[in-house]
């Protein structure tokens, strides 16, 4: 049976949305979907080696940030990087860093990003992947 | 669907204790462990996450596994699958 494909345009650099992306990735992994993630603008900040584990910005309900982060801890929710890593271990997940986005955050080389990233890409790759994906999400 | 009494009598070939993990943790634990269950074997899943009760039957049906039923006790759910 041919696997379904999920194309995820990941724009966000905020842990609330990255955590949501991790949950969705888990669902895709459970369904054996092939996943391609395109790390765009603000997400490239979160994928930088020096930021990934220290960035705790949230995009929404910002006045409840401490409560939100405490709840993630209370519920044993893995850090988004671990959720992504787990999904990578269970199904095919390719993570592409947008070359422009990387440069915005002074990330010129793949080595500037956490080891989850597979390569640096251009926008044509995203468009072509999104064109044929069974599910195309923007977060 | 089996009754709670019938479910309690089942002997599981594999037990997945996913209590204390939130969605999608239990489902991923099931996916990882299903390879350890022989064809026709029984998997018992313990989960404190209510969503698992709906996710596991859907996931199982899609793969041709049989959802046998579930029951709740002491704040967690026990779910049974037949591979």
């Amino acid at each position: 049976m041919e696997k379904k494909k999920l194309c995820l345009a990941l724009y966000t650099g905020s842990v609330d949305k990255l955590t949501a992306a991790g949950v969705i990735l888990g669902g895709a992994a459970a369904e054996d979907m092939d996943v391609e993630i395109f790390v765009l603008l603000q997400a490239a900040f979160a994928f930088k080696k020096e930021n990934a584990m220290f960035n705790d910005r949230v995009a929404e309900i910002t006045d409840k940030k401490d409560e939100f982060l405490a709840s993630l801890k209370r519920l044993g929710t893995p850090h988004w990087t671990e959720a992504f890593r787990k999904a990578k271990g269970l199904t095919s997940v390719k993570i592409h860093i947008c070359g422009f986005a990387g440069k915005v955050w002074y990330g010129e080389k793949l080595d500037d990003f956490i080891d989850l990233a597979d390569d640096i890409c251009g926008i044509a790759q995203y468009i072509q992947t999104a064109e044929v994906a069974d599910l195309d999400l923007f977060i | 669907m089996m009754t709670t009494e019938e479910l309690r009598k089942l002997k599981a070939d594999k037990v997945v204790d996913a209590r204390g993990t939130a969605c999608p943790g239990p489902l991923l634990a099931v996916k990882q462990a299903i390879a350890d269950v022989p064809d026709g074997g029984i998997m018992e899943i313990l989960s404190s996450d209510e969503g698992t009760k709906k996710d596991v039957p859907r996931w199982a049906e899609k793969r041709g596994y049989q959802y046998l039923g579930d029951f709740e006790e002491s704040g967690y759910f026990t779910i049974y699958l037949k591979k």
Side-chain angles (χ1 to χ4, degrees):
Chain A
M1 191 173 68
E2 192 172 337
K3 289 186 175 183
K4 300 256 184 178
K5 179 164 279 196
L6 165 63
C7 176
L8 173 58
L10 190 63
Y11 166 84
T12 188
S14 307
V15 290
D16 49 348
K17 293 188 177 187
L18 286 164
T19 300
V23 173
I24 290 170
L25 268 187
E31 293 296 333
D32 281 324
M33 295 179 85
D34 283 340
V35 181
E36 298 222 31
I37 299 173
F38 293 86
V39 175
L40 309 178
L41 285 171
Q42 313 304 63
F45 173 87
F47 270 77
K48 289 287 299 291
K49 275 182 177 170
E50 65 270 31
N51 299 331
M53 301 308 295
F54 302 103
N55 170 33
D56 66 354
R57 293 165 178 83
V58 296
E60 296 191 13
I61 320 183
T62 54
D63 59 316
K64 298 284 186 185
K65 173 182 160 182
D66 290 345
E67 187 178 330
F68 171 72
L69 295 176
S71 281
L72 292 186
K73 195 170 180 182
R74 172 173 55 82
L75 295 169
T77 309
H79 189 263
W80 66 268
T81 54
E82 286 313 305
F84 279 47
R85 196 176 301 283
K86 182 154 195 177
K88 273 197 133 190
L90 291 171
T91 193
S92 170
V93 178
K94 299 292 181 204
I95 300 180
H96 314 284
I97 307 287
C98 163
F100 168 58
K103 285 192 173 84
V104 167
W105 299 108
Y106 301 98
E108 302 282 338
K109 307 179 302 297
L110 184 59
D111 191 48
D112 292 323
F113 300 92
I114 53 176
D115 64 354
L116 289 168
D118 292 290
D119 59 24
I120 292 180
C121 75
I123 196 63
Q125 190 176 344
Y126 164 63
I127 295 295
Q128 288 173 6
T129 302
E131 270 182 340
V132 297
D134 299 285
L135 183 59
D136 183 20
L137 300 178
F138 182 97
I139 297 177
Chain B
M1 194 83 71
M2 297 174 76
T3 65
T4 298
E5 288 313 306
E6 288 171 330
L7 292 171
R8 285 184 194 279
K9 289 177 187 166
L10 290 173
K11 181 168 169 44
D13 296 282
K14 178 80 179 176
V15 177
V16 173
D17 188 349
R19 287 175 290 184
T21 65
C23 178
L27 185 60
L28 293 178
V30 170
K31 176 184 163 61
Q32 283 181 296
I34 197 73
D36 299 335
V37 180
D39 287 346
I42 303 292
M43 177 185 273
E44 179 181 289
I45 304 132
L46 311 178
S47 175
S48 48
D49 177 65
E50 181 137 10
T52 307
K53 237 180 17 167
K54 292 183 177 174
D55 273 358
V56 166
R58 285 173 188 269
W59 178 87
E61 184 182 2
K62 198 168 170 184
R63 278 152 190 81
Y65 306 143
Q66 189 181 358
Y67 164 67
L68 300 175
D70 65 78
F71 59 84
E72 183 180 2
E73 66 180 0
S74 308
Y76 65 91
F77 304 97
T78 307
I79 305 163
Y80 290 90
L81 289 187
K82 185 175 182 181
K83 186 175 178 184

